[in-house]
Amino acid sequence: MKTALDLPQPNTTKTKSDEKFRKYLSLCTLVVQNSSLVLLLRYSRIMQQPGQPLYIASTAVFFAEIIKFFVCFYFLYRESGKWSIFMSTVNEEFVENFSDIYKMVIPSGLYAIQNNLLFVALSNLEATTFQITYQMKILTTALFSVVLLGKRLSRGKWVSLILLMIGVILVQLPASTKVATPATDEDTNLMTAQTPLIGLIAVITACLSSGFAGCYFEKMLKRNATSMWVRNIQLGIPGTLFSLIAMLFNDGMAISTDGFFQGYDFLTWIVVLNQALGGLLVAVVVKYADNILKGFATSLSIIISSVVSFYLFNFYPSPQFALGALIVITSTFLYGRPERVQ
Ligand code: C5P
């Protein structure tokens, strides 16, 4: 297997500016994709025709995995250039190097657990508490970038990361902190059924998983010259299996009664495509930038989708939203500022 060091190193200015262009293009596309996904998802869950059932979310996640799988094979074929080279790559990477798929079970399994833990956290914590505590993943990602990837972050970069976390928390704080009062007996039961400690443990575990799985995938992606599409397929094989199990386990009954595509319309397919695109973009961003910069991109998209919500869903930005947005933007510039070599 060729490693990055075995390959010829074209150390030209053009290659560097090309890489810079890809880095910023992938980050900007992730910002746009993430912002539109939030809005489309919300629209698709609330805009039903009379009598139209709600689509089953786990089927959307499963179809997104399948689409990613085919798109990755298509790009791998394009990258290979010839059918014979493509087939020998498939044989080498997925048959001879089958053990690499086992290695991807770790991040893929962690992502599957993480996605389920988020439901546990949301069922046991108030939405705002959840959103605030989940921003800790910015710091766990930085921590695992240092521990797993050997990145060195200056004091200035740590300050930018902490500022980013504070900014996102402020952005997500509700305009008023009304105490929720149960409207019905059923609501009372739901509220008393919440166990904040379980919710907190779930969200902390999800943050650790997000940081670890992200950096593990980055390490696998950057450790040699193996194609990004190969790595994504290796991640996608167990990922598709996990999402299939989750879908059948959680919604098997509903699917067997009313089918896979109950409640699907054009918008649902747009959401599925957008979700698949998001997964692919994560890989592109991690390849050309890194997990920490991905955190900045997703934080900026929280602001953009909130501002667009202002027009679409009558969302009124509070003073703390404006302050939080300012802090997020400032921290992004601070983090990206070139530092003097000491
Ligand atoms: O919150 P966090 O950034 O950890 O979420 C990452 C999400 O991106 C997970 O839901 C994971 O399933 C998805 N992902 C993907 N393809 C990758 C890496 C992550 O679909 N190559």
Side-chain angles (χ1 to χ4, degrees), residues 68 111 114-115 134 137 210 217 232 235 279 282-283 294:
K68 272 194 292 187
Y111 278 138
Q114 177 185 326
N115 293 338
Y134 196 38
K137 70 179 179 171
S210 170
F217 183 71
N232 250 352
L235 186 78
V282 168
K294 173 179 146 271

Side-chain angles (χ1 to χ4, degrees), residues 1 69 73 88-106 216 220 223 226 230-231 233-238 241:
M1 164 94 42
F69 206 66
F73 268 112
S88 74
T89 309
V90 168
N91 183 48
E92 188 186 329
E93 300 290 359
F94 305 116
V95 182
E96 288 168 20
N97 288 339
F98 192 74
S99 62
D100 270 13
I101 299 179
Y102 287 138
K103 289 180 194 149
M104 284 303 195
V105 171
I106 298 170
Y216 186 105
M220 289 294 281
R223 77 175 185 164
T226 302
V230 168
R231 288 286 181 229
I233 295 167
Q234 288 168 339
L235 186 78
I237 292 171
L241 275 176

